[in-house]
């Protein structure tokens, strides 16, 4: 079992550039979550999908952030334009949603983003 | 507004002793609570959970206690081992009809050999 796969693992970019983070969930899982980790705020949920449909994007900080899930095995989180305050570790997680109950979420290794 | 708070950013405990990590929450709608453990350069992994219908859940060396009236939960690790050194996140959710987890800021636990 490969687990949740994220790429790239590290990204350094300059302010104003577009950044795209990628995620492949665990096969068979039908819920996918994007989180951001910072020292001040811990793990914040940005958006989550169920069966490729965005369910809750209330955590997306602003219009510069967008996320897509074109199929069950792939999702992207895009930041355009990026700013230094976006520097953080971004995690993707997936879970086998059943009956709308909370299920264990399985996290990828994260993408460490640094915006200069 | 942090609905889940872990007020101790770090904790050091001697190997073999008990580690107690604390978590407070403000949203009275939360009825399901989880602890996740995170090693450096890895994603968090699920450790243990508890539903609000219980006040204690035990799994090996790990026990979670829930005090609903105080809106407080704690994770006890007995005995503490060097491999327990990690960041521990508390999370909360409304169990039914909602998959959304609200996480705290984490507590870094260091076990001293």
């Amino acid at each position: 079992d490969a687990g949740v796969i994220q790429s790239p693992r590290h990204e350094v970019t300059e302010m104003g550039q577009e950044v795209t983070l990628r995620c492949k969930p665990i096969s068979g899982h039908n819920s996918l979550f994007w989180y951001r980790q910072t020292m001040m705020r811990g793990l914040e949920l940005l958006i989550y999908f169920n069966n490729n449909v965005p369910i809750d994007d209330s955590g997306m900080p602003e219009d510069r952030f967008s996320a897509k899930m074109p199929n069950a095995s792939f999702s992207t989180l895009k930041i355009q334009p990026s700013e230094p305050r976006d520097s953080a570790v971004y995690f993707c997680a997936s879970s086998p949603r059943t009956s709308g109950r909370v299920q264990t979420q399985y996290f990828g290794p994260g993408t460490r983003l640094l915006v200069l | 507004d942090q609905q889940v708070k872990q007020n101790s950013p770090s904790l050091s405990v001697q190997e073999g002793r008990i580690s107690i990590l604390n978590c407070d929450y403000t949203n009275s709608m939360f009825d399901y609570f989880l602890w996740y453990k995170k090693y450096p350069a890895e994603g968090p992994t699920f450790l243990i959970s508890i539903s609000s219908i219980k006040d204690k859940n035990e799994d090996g060396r790990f026990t979670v206690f829930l005090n609903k009236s105080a809106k407080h939960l704690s994770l006890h690790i007995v005995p503490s081992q060097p491999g327990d050194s990690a960041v521990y996140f508390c999370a909360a959710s409304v169990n039914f009809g909602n998959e959304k987890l609200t996480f705290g800021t984490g507590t870094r636990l260091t076990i001293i050999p």
Side-chain angles (χ1 to χ4, degrees), chain B residues 46-63:
Chain B
F46 170 74
L47 188 58
I48 192 169
S49 63
I50 188 168
S51 166
S52 60
I53 62 174
K54 296 184 175 181
D55 54 18
K56 175 183 174 181
N57 189 26
E58 194 171 349
D59 183 1
R61 296 185 298 112
F62 302 91
T63 303

Side-chain angles (χ1 to χ4, degrees), chain A residues 102-113:
Chain A
V102 174
Q103 297 290 334
T104 298
Q105 294 182 17
Y106 297 82
F107 283 75
T111 296
R112 184 173 295 274
L113 173 65

Side-chain angles (χ1 to χ4, degrees), chain B residues 64-109:
Chain B
V64 56
F65 295 91
L66 176 61
N67 182 335
K68 290 185 290 292
S69 60
K71 293 190 178 68
H72 177 83
L73 65 155
S74 60
L75 174 68
H76 293 211
I77 306 173
V78 182
S80 300
Q81 299 174 354
D84 297 330
S85 295
V87 177
Y88 290 80
F89 289 97
C90 170
S93 180
V94 176
N95 192 13
F96 290 96
N98 190 344
E99 300 177 84
K100 191 172 174 178
L101 293 181
T102 301
F103 281 85
T105 52
T107 296
R108 181 178 300 279
L109 175 65

Side-chain angles (χ1 to χ4, degrees), chain A residues 26-33 50-51 93-106, chain B residues 99:
Chain A
I26 293 172
S27 177
H29 284 190
N30 49 11
S31 290
L32 182 140
F33 307 81
N50 182 256
N51 292 326
S94 68
S95 74
R97 181 179 188 268
T98 55
S99 306
R101 296 188 61 178
V102 174
Q103 297 290 334
T104 298
Q105 294 182 17
Y106 297 82
Chain B
E99 300 177 84

Side-chain angles (χ1 to χ4, degrees), chain A residues 3-75:
Chain A
V4 176
I5 299 172
Q6 291 187 245
S7 65
R9 293 293 309 273
H10 303 272
E11 177 81 24
V12 180
T13 190
E14 292 186 346
M15 182 174 63
Q17 296 297 306
E18 178 180 295
V19 174
T20 299
L21 311 181
R22 297 173 176 80
C23 176
K24 177 178 169 55
I26 293 172
S27 177
H29 284 190
N30 49 11
S31 290
L32 182 140
F33 307 81
W34 282 102
Y35 289 90
R36 179 171 66 177
Q37 183 193 3
T38 60
M39 289 294 291
M40 291 299 295
R41 301 181 67 86
L43 274 167
E44 298 176 274
L45 177 66
L46 301 177
I47 185 171
Y48 82 92
F49 296 82
N50 182 256
N51 292 326
N52 313 337
V53 176
I55 302 300
D56 187 333
D57 65 354
S58 59
M60 296 287 262
E62 44 195 277
D63 292 345
R64 298 184 296 106
F65 285 70
S66 62
K68 293 182 179 179
M69 191 165 186
N71 57 62
S73 59
F74 183 66
S75 177

